[in-house]
């Protein structure tokens, strides 16, 4: 998270000062979502292909609200429902779930989410957008396709366990010859 990345950077600076250094290169210490966004921007700049534009949080919320807009008259709290759908979309990606899974046909709520998620995904594809929720998986794809060149080393700090999509990204980093270390 952002607090841990600031703490690591400050500790590194203290270590450099203690070692008597007067100047040093600052390490790139980013929280996970910031690293994903930076990696996507790098891939967008380096790729010969045109990659989808990353939605920021406000844009994504607005697109979810628009998707749910068709059902807004049937919802008690459309804005809260859009936020819940956005969180569910994140979980769907984190755990590599498939909207075609029969579990999404049980109950009105899961059917509604599946309908909204498909509409959201279609709107993103039509408009050339990608949501932050999809970045881990999309970055792994970009590395497999050699569009994105990973950093030489990635050090994971503060993760108790990795979601399946994060595990896939780490595997893609390793296949692309990045050194990945996990510090507990």
């Amino acid at each position: 998270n952002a607090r841990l990345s600031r703490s690591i950077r400050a500790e590194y600076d203290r270590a450099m000062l203690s070692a008597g250094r007067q100047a040093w290169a600052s390490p790139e210490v980013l929280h996970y979502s910031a690293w994903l966004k930076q990696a996507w921007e790098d891939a967008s700049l380096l790729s010969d292909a045109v990659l989808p534009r990353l939605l920021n949080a406000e844009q994504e919320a607005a697109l979810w609200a628009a998707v749910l807009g068709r059902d807004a008259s049937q919802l008690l709290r459309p804005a809260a429902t859009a936020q819940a759908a956005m969180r569910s979309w994140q979980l769907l990606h984190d755990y590599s779930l498939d909207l075609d899974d029969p579990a999404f046909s049980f109950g009105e709520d899961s059917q509604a989410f599946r309908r909204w998620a498909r509409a959201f995904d279609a709107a993103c594809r039509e408009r050339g957008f990608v949501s932050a929720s999809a970045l881990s998986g999309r970055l792994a794809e970009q590395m497999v396709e050699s569009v994105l060149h990973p950093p030489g080393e990635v050090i994971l700090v503060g993760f108790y366990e990795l979601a399946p999509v994060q595990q896939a990204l780490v595997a893609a980093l390793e296949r692309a010859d990045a050194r990945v270390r996990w510090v507990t």
Side-chain angles (χ1 to χ4, degrees):
N1 61 32
R3 183 177 58 204
L4 181 58
S5 64
R6 284 190 305 272
S7 175
I8 291 169
R9 206 173 293 122
E11 183 63 32
Y12 183 81
D13 291 345
R14 281 192 291 278
M16 292 292 107
L17 285 170
S18 294
R21 306 277 302 270
Q22 294 190 12
W24 57 87
S26 293
E28 192 168 31
V29 181
L30 301 170
H31 58 88
Y32 186 69
S33 60
W35 182 80
L36 289 174
K37 289 173 186 174
Q38 180 179 318
W40 188 256
E41 289 172 9
D42 291 348
S44 296
L45 292 172
L46 298 172
S47 175
D48 292 333
V50 177
L51 297 179
R53 289 172 291 162
L54 177 61
L55 292 170
N56 65 35
E58 293 79 18
Q59 292 167 325
E60 186 171 347
L63 187 54
W64 274 109
V67 165
L68 271 67
R70 299 178 194 116
D71 294 341
S73 63
Q74 300 169 0
L75 301 172
L76 293 175
R77 297 175 48 218
T81 305
Q83 288 297 316
M86 206 162 114
R87 287 189 303 275
S88 297
W89 182 247
Q90 178 70 55
L91 289 170
L92 182 89
H93 285 281
D94 285 350
Y95 291 92
S96 304
L97 301 176
D98 184 358
L99 285 170
D100 291 327
D101 188 295
F104 285 104
S105 61
F106 300 134
E108 290 179 39
D109 291 344
S110 57
Q111 289 174 13
F113 173 71
R114 178 169 48 189
R115 185 175 65 254
W116 297 331
R118 285 184 173 153
F120 178 82
D121 189 46
C124 284
R125 290 179 193 279
E126 274 174 28
R127 297 172 182 161
F129 296 147
V130 63
S131 71
S133 303
L135 278 186
S136 292
R138 296 294 294 271
L139 284 168
E141 291 169 9
Q142 296 301 316
M143 279 184 232
V144 168
E145 296 169 9
S146 299
V147 172
L148 177 64
H149 304 287
E153 182 176 34
V154 175
I155 302 171
L156 302 171
V157 180
F159 291 89
Y160 297 109
E161 61 181 89
L162 298 176
V165 74
Q166 292 170 322
Q167 292 172 9
L169 181 55
V170 166
L173 283 164
E174 291 172 335
R175 279 193 307 276
D177 294 327
R179 183 173 170 222
V180 180
R181 291 191 301 146
W182 191 337
V183 177
T184 56

